[in-house]
Amino acid sequence: MHDEFLCHVTAYGVCGGRRIGVPLGTYRAPTLALALWWLRDRASWMAERLDPRPDAEHFPPSALVPVADNVPDVPAVLRAWCGDVSRQELVADELAAGRMVRIAVSDETTEYELLAESVDALRMQRTLPILVVPVA
């Protein structure tokens, strides 16, 4: 069983023709349960910021308008992922097995990534001998 997990949330976009990543948060979870909780919490946090309640008091009336039906609904995908117990179990199984998990969702301008990996698996990778392949 892997005991600690590194969790990251990043948004990627294009600026000046280059793909740029903007870190939105990092957490070193001491347990699998806390890693899953943090990923769900960050997914909900992003969804709320991308799709706030229109009646929120800090927005002037009519400041928010619905997007077209053909625009990818990132907040809805993130909320659905948070509420899907079978997907949560799949993520837990992958992390417990020492595999990295990446959840990514995109709209027209930005890719949002939730990433988690076992600290133990990272340590084990560092101890493996490096494969050297001659060129030519």
Side-chain angles (χ1 to χ4, degrees), residues 54-110:
D55 59 345
E57 57 195 45
H58 56 278
F59 292 113
S62 302
L64 300 175
V65 296
V67 296
D69 289 337
N70 62 345
V71 173
D73 192 348
V74 169
V77 172
L78 291 170
R79 288 181 179 117
W81 180 81
C82 289
D84 190 328
V85 174
S86 62
R87 283 192 193 161
Q88 299 301 315
E89 290 172 357
L90 177 62
V91 168
D93 291 344
E94 292 295 307
L95 288 172
R99 290 186 283 278
M100 180 173 60
V101 172
R102 179 178 183 264
I103 299 121
V105 60
S106 300
D107 59 22
E108 295 170 329
T109 63
T110 309

Side-chain angles (χ1 to χ4, degrees), residues 9 18-19 40 45 57 84 99 112 116 126 136:
V9 177
R18 295 179 51 204
R19 182 175 159 93
R40 282 191 306 270
W45 176 82
E57 57 195 45
D84 190 328
R99 290 186 283 278
Y112 303 92
R126 288 190 198 120

Side-chain angles (χ1 to χ4, degrees), residues 34-57:
L34 285 174
L36 292 170
W37 170 84
W38 191 83
L39 291 170
R40 282 191 306 270
D41 181 69
R42 293 296 85 192
S44 294
W45 176 82
M46 284 191 297
E48 182 60 30
R49 273 130 193 94
L50 293 169
D51 186 19
R53 293 173 295 133
D55 59 345
E57 57 195 45

